[in-house]
Amino acid sequence: MASIDHIEKLDALDKLGVVTYRTGITLFGIALILFSLAIADDIGLIIIENVHLMDFSLTLIAVSSAMSAANLHVYDKTVRLIITWAAWIGLVLLITIDSEQLIWLPIGFLCACFSGIALKESFCFKVIGLKAIPFLLCISILMLAIEVWLIAIICLFLSGIIFIFLAIQKWKMPLHFDIGNKANYQI
């Protein structure tokens, strides 16, 4: 975890990486809300009548996962690898799986990535519900797999709201807080 007393000198790539990471978190929150609305629309719970909402939300989940996973700043390389590989596996599965019934599988890996990010960020922020994100996302994926739509929708929507609150807190802080001390990173 970064020390607020240490101010690391950031180059242009560091700044780009932090901005991309934070943008990924922001987009993931929005994507979860859109995904929950797309599911609600598909099952007739609400009427949006946007045939592209599901595809758009899945694309946004994929893009946000790649953005945050590629720019994750975690000192411990094992933790960093577990979080990033969950995203990469999820992205490959999302591209290769052609079945709507199995969409929960790649989304599960992408949510595992963001569960790790939520736990990482919970050490720095007191965002209400942030520590519940892994539980909420796990329940939502299980509910997607067994087609219990209402619980999945609620868990995804709540997770999206929590990620948006996290994103607001992240954007308020200086960029160097995300990097911490570069000397502490395991390579």
Side-chain angles (χ1 to χ4, degrees), residues 71-128:
N71 295 287
L72 182 66
H73 297 97
V74 176
Y75 292 148
D76 186 279
K77 69 179 175 182
T78 304
V79 173
R80 188 171 55 244
L81 284 173
I82 290 169
I83 293 171
T84 56
W85 272 94
W88 304 134
I89 292 169
L91 289 169
V92 168
L93 290 173
L94 191 61
I95 292 166
T96 57
I97 289 179
D98 195 28
S99 169
E100 279 188 24
Q101 283 75 31
L102 292 177
I103 197 67
W104 61 270
L105 185 59
I107 299 300
F109 277 98
L110 298 174
C111 285
C113 167
F114 273 97
S115 292
I117 288 172
L119 287 177
K120 167 204 178 285
E121 296 296 344
S122 71
F123 290 109
C124 304
F125 295 100
K126 301 299 182 228
V127 173
I128 294 173

Side-chain angles (χ1 to χ4, degrees), residues 4 10 27 35 44 46 49 51 56-58 75 79 90 96 107 116 123-124 140 142 155 158 160-161 174-175 180-181:
I4 58 172
L10 304 182
L27 292 177
F35 187 47
I46 59 174
E49 295 184 11
V51 295
F56 179 71
S57 63
L58 291 173
Y75 292 148
V79 173
T96 57
I107 299 300
F123 290 109
C124 304
S140 68
L142 177 62
C155 290
L158 287 174
I161 295 295
L175 296 180
N181 187 343

Side-chain angles (χ1 to χ4, degrees), residues 23 30 50 57 107-108 112-113 120 133 135 145 162 170 173:
T23 302
I30 294 167
N50 185 334
S57 63
I107 299 300
C113 167
K120 167 204 178 285
I133 286 288
F135 175 75
I162 294 167
K170 294 287 292 174
M173 62 188 240

Side-chain angles (χ1 to χ4, degrees), residues 32-54:
L32 288 180
I33 292 171
L34 292 177
F35 187 47
S36 66
L37 293 175
I39 295 168
D41 184 40
D42 282 355
I43 65 170
L45 192 61
I46 59 174
I47 307 297
I48 298 175
E49 295 184 11
N50 185 334
V51 295
H52 302 292
L53 185 58
M54 181 62 77

